[in-house]
Amino acid sequence: MTIQRSHLVPLALAVAVLTAGCGEATTGAGTAASASPQAQADQVALSDQDRIWMKRIHQGYLAETRAGGLAERKGASAAVKELGTKLVSAHTDLDAELTQAAARLGVELPSALSGAQEKAGKALEGASREEFDRAFVTAIRKQHATALKETRTELKKGSSPEVKAMATSALAVLRHHVLLTKTALNKD
């Protein structure tokens, strides 16, 4: 079989066009995906549970940071002020790691507190200096109990090793904070 030269140029162009995109992952829009193979694998490994935990714990971190800042300013006892400082530091660090992972994994985190968290924060803001320490410790215990429950659920039902590793770290910090709340009102 003989191919005429006049047919070779259009044939070569057609082959070039068809093979230009070979080997690249494409998105639904047909463009090359920018995510690395590892990031794509991590996104696939995320379950609804992983996504829900990331969103809720992020809001919890925001609420704890806000409450800790209030304790630093409004706390009557040195122990409550110190607890506030520890909450701000620990939850800021945990949230930075979570936020980076969420961006990498394609999880959109909420930018605001939940209604219940907002209400609890306003109650703390409105508490008198005499009432603040007890109200703060009570609120922190309640928020940490919720976060501990959600984190245990993530560890049991989550699917992403990366998210579960963050949950393991969070669990240790949350448990430590609960212990600190037990002594915060008894110091000074």
Side-chain angles (χ1 to χ4, degrees):
M1 175 165 121
T2 324
I3 299 178
Q4 296 179 353
R5 265 183 203 226
S6 62
H7 294 302
L8 286 178
V9 172
L11 182 60
L13 286 173
V15 169
V17 168
L18 289 172
T19 61
C22 287
E24 292 183 6
T26 58
T27 63
T31 59
S34 60
S36 70
Q38 181 60 44
Q40 290 173 350
D42 288 342
Q43 284 181 327
V44 171
L46 284 181
S47 65
D48 287 342
Q49 168 59 44
D50 296 323
R51 293 175 190 282
I52 289 167
W53 180 80
M54 291 177 79
K55 291 174 182 183
R56 288 183 180 164
I57 204 71
H58 171 67
Q59 285 180 309
Y61 292 159
L62 295 177
E64 298 296 330
T65 302
R66 178 181 176 185
L70 279 171
E72 289 174 315
R73 292 186 305 278
K74 284 185 78 169
S77 73
V80 166
K81 289 180 183 222
E82 182 182 338
L83 177 57
T85 299
K86 288 179 180 180
L87 290 175
V88 169
S89 177
H91 289 291
T92 298
D93 291 347
L94 288 169
D95 197 46
E97 179 185 2
L98 179 82
T99 302
Q100 289 172 357
R104 190 173 56 257
L105 297 171
V107 177
E108 188 174 333
L109 298 176
S111 59
L113 301 176
S114 71
Q117 290 165 329
E118 192 64 46
K119 185 178 176 181
K122 287 184 181 187
L124 283 177
E125 287 173 1
S128 69
R129 188 165 177 87
E130 297 79 30
E131 299 171 328
F132 181 83
D133 286 7
R134 186 159 304 284
F136 169 74
V137 170
T138 300
I140 293 303
R141 284 181 182 161
K142 182 177 179 181
Q143 289 174 8
H144 277 74
T146 299
L148 282 166
K149 180 180 176 187
E150 290 173 350
T151 300
R152 286 185 190 110
T153 300
E154 170 59 25
L155 291 171
K156 287 179 188 170
K157 297 181 179 180
S159 62
S160 167
E162 181 178 1
V163 177
K164 289 176 83 168
M166 286 187 294
T168 300
S169 296
L171 188 66
V173 171
L174 294 168
R175 285 178 175 159
H176 179 67
H177 289 170
V178 169
L179 291 174
L180 293 176
T181 64
K182 292 180 180 180
T183 60
L185 293 176
N186 299 329
K187 288 185 177 180
D188 294 339

